[in-house]
Structure formats: C-alpha cells, structure tokens
Amino acid sequence: MTSSFHEMWEELRPLGRDSSSGGYRRFAWTGADTDCRAWFRAQAEARGLAYELDRNGNQWAWLGVTGHQDVAPGEAVVTGSHLDSVPDGGAFDGPLGVVSSFAALDELRGRGAEPTRPLAIVNFGDEEGARFGLACVGSRLSAGALTAEAAHRLRDGDGVTLPQAMERAGHDPEAIGPDPERLATIGAFVELHVEQGRALDLSGDPVGIASAIWPHGRWRFDFRGEANHAGTTRLEDRRDPMLSYAATVLAAREQARLTGALATFGKVSVEPNGVNAIPSLVRGWLDARAAGQDTLDTVITGIERAAAERAARDGVDLDVVRESFTPVVEFQHALRDELGALLGKKSERPVPVLGTGAGHDAGILSAIVPTAMLFVRNPTGVSHSPAEAAAEDDCVAGVTALADVLEGLACR
Ligand code: GLV
Ligand code: MN
Ligand code: MN
C-alpha cells in the first residue's frame, strides 16, 4: 500500500470497532462517528486543506480554495464517500472511498500534478441509515431529497430524535436543509467504493466503473396481534403476529426468487419480547431491490398481498409503511465514458462497467450533478459484514485509478 493509505487505514481501523464481533458500529452522531469525524478533520488539516462542516453535518476538505463560497458553479471536482457503518459492518464500505480520496490527493501531489480546478474530499454523514432508518440522510438533505421537517421526525430505536442526537454531538439541528449553492459548485462527483459483490473477482479486474444503481427501498411491516400466555392460550384462541411475520418473510423470498429481485427482512422488533408470551406486535423491516421499477413494484405488491392474506387468517392487523425509496440511478454516460477513457489509457483491456444493488450518496447526488463511481474488487463479495474485504494491491490500484481520474478531470 502507498504509505499514506496504510497509515490512514491503521489510524482509522480501531475507531468504532466492536472487539467481540470484529465489526464496526459507527452510527450517525454517536461517539464512534465523532471519532471518525475528528479523524477526517485532522487529515484535512494535516494536508493544509480548507475544512468545512456543512449545515447537514457533511465534512468537506478543499484544495486550492478557502471553501465552497470561492468556487464558481460547476467548477469543482469532488470525491469522497462516508465513514459511518451498518451494525457490525465491514471496514471498507465507505472508509475505503474516503481514505483513497486523501491518498489519491497525496499521489497527485507526488506526481507534481497541478490542479486547474478546485478539488474537494467529502465525508457524507449518515449514509447507512443504521440509526434512524433512512439511508443517505446527509446527501438527501443537501440535495433537497429529504426535507428538514421529515428529518426532524426521524427517531432511533431508543426514541432519540435526529435533532436531539445532532445536538448532543454539538451540531445545530435547526441549520439542516437544502444546500443548493454548495452542490452547484460540483462539476463532477466521483465516489470510490468497495464492490459489494463478486463481479470484479470473477472478471479478474481490480477496478470497475459503475453503470447504474437498482431502484430500492425500505418498508416497515407492523403486525399487531394480542399478547397472551404462551403456556395457557389454546392455539385456536391466539392472534399471533409472529406467524404472519414468519409467513411474510418466506413470501418475500419467494417473490424475489420468482422475479430475479432481492427482498430481505434483516431487522425485526418484537413486543413484549418475552419468551413465554405470544407477541402483541411484530415489526419487521423489508429491504427490496430490483433491476427495474416494474419488477420492484411487482415484488412489493406480491409481498404485501401475501402478508395481508396471512394476517387475516391469523386475526392480526397489518400496516405497511414505505420508509424510504430511491429510484433507479443511471450514472451520467459522458462522465462514465470519460472515466473509462482515462483508466483505459493504462489498461490492456477496457475497465469493466457494472451495475449494483447497493445505495450510495453518489446515487442521491446524481439527480443534481454529474456523478460517477469506481468499484474496487472484493474477493469475498461480502459486504455489510466483518467479512468484507479488499486486498492491499487492489486498494493501491483503486487509489491510482482515482488519482488518474482526478488528474484527468481537474488538472488539464
Ligand atoms: C447501503 O449500503 C445500502 O445499499 O443499503
Ligand atoms: Mn453500505
Ligand atoms: Mn457505502
């Protein structure tokens, strides 16, 4: 690894890591998040970059200007990703992009490349939505895809609201909202990210370029039944929401299998959550994604229908709420082709272009500014788990590719 990458990686590695699982718990506006933010700021300052914290808690490090107010519309080239994690997440999802951005900047300086456009590195806050249930809160707020009012209503599992969490972490929640002037400065945003699948491993390429992000969303299913004694209530007399929930999990899998989509219940809460009590409420969160909108609609309709049918049989009430949704993102072809051409100069064969089912801040920004993504090979293909991986050589290849892209976009 280039030494700057290695040093940064080692500094960041212990922050927010749970020693029992080996995974990361860097949730928005917690102590671990604050530590990661302090790390970002220190990296910016160590390089003499102008540091900014925007109204939505996203961090920026500018080269060549004192802040976004110095930048003309469309002039800046921006790279970066996020530092927060899912529960027991891997080390790479997010941090690889941020660390690679600083390392790429070091490489540009080492090459003696002279940027002719302002360059910035960004750490978007709360990308994973692990704490408040909605992904990409920082970028959505800035892009106007999430209103301040809706953000103020977000709560974590302990009932702490987003404004309360922000305030406790020293950020003014009244400031949050759209940031059009800042985003208007961006002429190109490039996010480097660990691949969350095995396409590059299978094709034998260290680096790829993103084509599109599947439409995806999160739905909350509330199954309300009747709490009762597990040892005395006759089966006929039960209104057991766990049965309806369990049948819905299986229906989701079946719908996904039939349509080639993905549908996952990965989070569930049960009330009263007693081993000897029939539950009164089972609340499950569905994450569903598909290559096309029609397929996703079909899957969701099928799962909702199966849930409603089963709930009726069980004497259970059902409410389904869509908590978030991101439509299909097709990254801008001109920028994508430019990346292909820049990286193709050094490569014997074309750099692969691949789609992904994972959401990213780049997807949110793509509605407003030209946006592209680079993926770095993940030999396990695993993500959102401590088993997520990237080889050192591939991380270096990613840094070099990002430096090539930034040089091509910002130094001509
Ligand atoms: C973010 O990583 C997502 O795709 O959920
Ligand atoms: Mn992720
Ligand atoms: Mn990510």
Side-chain angles (χ1 to χ4, degrees), residues 93 127-128 196 384:
D93 177 355
E127 192 272 352
E128 297 287 7
Q196 297 170 289
H384 287 183

Side-chain angles (χ1 to χ4, degrees), residues 82 86 93 127-129 135-136 193 196 213 216 218 287 289 356-360 383-384:
H82 62 97
V86 297
D93 177 355
E127 192 272 352
E128 297 287 7
C136 301
H193 204 278
Q196 297 170 289
I213 300 179
H216 57 282
R218 299 177 181 185
D287 175 307
R289 311 179 188 221
T356 177
H360 300 284
S383 189
H384 287 183

Side-chain angles (χ1 to χ4, degrees), residues 373-405:
M373 289 191 76
L374 293 175
F375 291 131
V376 172
R377 173 164 53 193
N378 172 353
T380 63
V382 174
S383 189
H384 287 183
S385 144
E388 187 177 82
E392 289 198 4
D393 285 354
D394 289 349
C395 293
V396 171
V399 171
T400 305
L402 184 58
D404 291 345
V405 164

